[in-house]
Amino acid sequence: SAVISQKPSRDICQRGTSLTIQCQVDSQVTMMFWYRQQPGQSLTLIATANQGSEATYESGFVIDKFPISRPNLTFSTLTVSNMSPEDSSIYLCSAGTNSFYEQFFGPGTRLTVL
Amino acid sequence: SQQGEEDPQALSIQEGENATMNCSYKTSINNLQWYRQNSGRGLVHLILIRSNEREKHSGRLRVTLDTSKKSSSLLITASRAADTASYFCATAPNTGKLIFGQGTTLQVKP
């Protein structure tokens, strides 16, 4: 298993600003993912964070809006850029050994954009 | 498009009763997983059932999988107030990543 921490746990931001969310895993993992969960909705995969290279984005998500870094096997960041109220969501980091087995989730970052 | 659809969307039961949630999906899968989420926090992995398995148990949880009907069910027996949460199924297609269903919100009344 893996224990995942995220920070900040929540934030209230102004329209047009950017927020960087950090995700730290307590052990080396192969895969790290970023999800968005809009209010009352399910999880939608934003991207797979790849160590030392560009993230792999899902349809509907672009690097300019959600730049992701993963400098090593245990740490990743997601930036939500040029925010609008529609970006208000919970952002979740997860980690696992591969893309379709058990994933361990962080506690999430609750973002409100005014 | 969303792979998993769950029903019911919401379920309210008394403590001690059993809770059953269902998940349907559309394409062939490698496995199906169930997760729990408390009050908008992170998800906790509950159980994974592979496509060649029909039933799996873990404590008070029982999961079934019917690949011919492309459906799964999660049964929580002898429910407790602490089981109050949202429950999500997640399907793992043979190629690709986990796809989460819409979830079932379970309320267990003391």
Side-chain angles (χ1 to χ4, degrees):
Chain A
S1 65
V3 177
I4 301 176
S5 59
Q6 276 184 245
K7 56 181 180 182
S9 59
R10 60 176 62 226
D11 208 341
I12 300 173
C13 301
Q14 296 297 317
R15 180 195 298 262
T17 63
S18 298
L19 176 72
T20 296
I21 303 167
Q22 297 180 9
C23 176
Q24 179 75 54
V25 187
D26 71 340
S27 58
Q28 292 188 348
V29 290
T30 306
M31 310 290 290
M32 292 183 73
F33 306 93
W34 287 98
Y35 290 86
R36 181 177 73 185
Q37 185 177 27
Q38 294 175 303
Q41 301 297 312
S42 185
L43 280 71
T44 300
L45 180 64
I46 297 172
T48 302
N50 300 309
Q51 185 204 357
S53 64
E54 190 172 293
T56 304
Y57 289 85
E58 299 300 307
S59 176
F61 297 96
V62 296
I63 188 171
D64 289 346
K65 176 67 176 178
F66 298 101
I68 289 170
S69 77
R70 188 180 175 190
N72 57 52
L73 286 174
T74 62
F75 184 78
S76 178
T77 66
L78 167 74
T79 299
V80 186
S81 303
N82 188 23
M83 288 183 286
S84 67
E86 292 71 35
D87 295 319
S88 298
S89 295
I90 298 173
Y91 291 86
L92 295 143
C93 169
S94 76
T97 55
N98 61 37
S99 63
F100 53 82
Y101 286 124
E102 176 184 10
Q103 291 185 23
F104 302 95
F105 282 82
T109 296
R110 186 181 293 271
L111 171 63
T112 301
V113 183
L114 303 177
Chain B
S1 63
Q2 205 73 27
Q3 168 81 312
E5 295 182 2
E6 297 179 61
D7 79 274
Q9 288 188 325
L11 181 60
S12 181
I13 60 175
Q14 292 295 133
E15 205 165 25
E17 294 180 340
N18 295 342
T20 300
M21 292 160 251
N22 303 296
C23 171
S24 61
Y25 57 92
K26 296 176 183 174
T27 64
S28 61
I29 60 172
N30 177 286
N31 66 73
L32 185 145
Q33 304 174 36
W34 286 90
Y35 289 80
R36 184 185 73 224
Q37 184 179 37
N38 290 88
S39 301
R41 302 294 289 169
L43 277 70
V44 174
H45 183 268
L46 296 176
I47 197 165
L48 180 154
I49 186 165
R50 299 179 191 275
S51 61
N52 60 355
E53 297 176 311
R54 293 296 167 257
E55 187 171 313
K56 203 161 183 179
H57 298 256
S58 177
R60 293 183 296 113
L61 306 180
R62 172 179 169 249
V63 170
T64 62
L65 179 64
D66 187 335
T67 53
S68 66
K69 295 181 179 178
K70 291 187 169 57
S71 68
S72 174
S73 68
L74 170 67
L75 169 67
I76 303 174
T77 61
S79 64
R80 306 166 181 169
D83 295 328
T84 294
S86 293
Y87 292 82
F88 294 91
C89 70
T91 50
N94 287 320
T95 56
K97 307 171 188 72
L98 288 186
I99 302 173
F100 286 82
Q102 290 299 311
T104 293
T105 299
L106 172 65
Q107 182 184 26
V108 181
K109 300 175 185 175

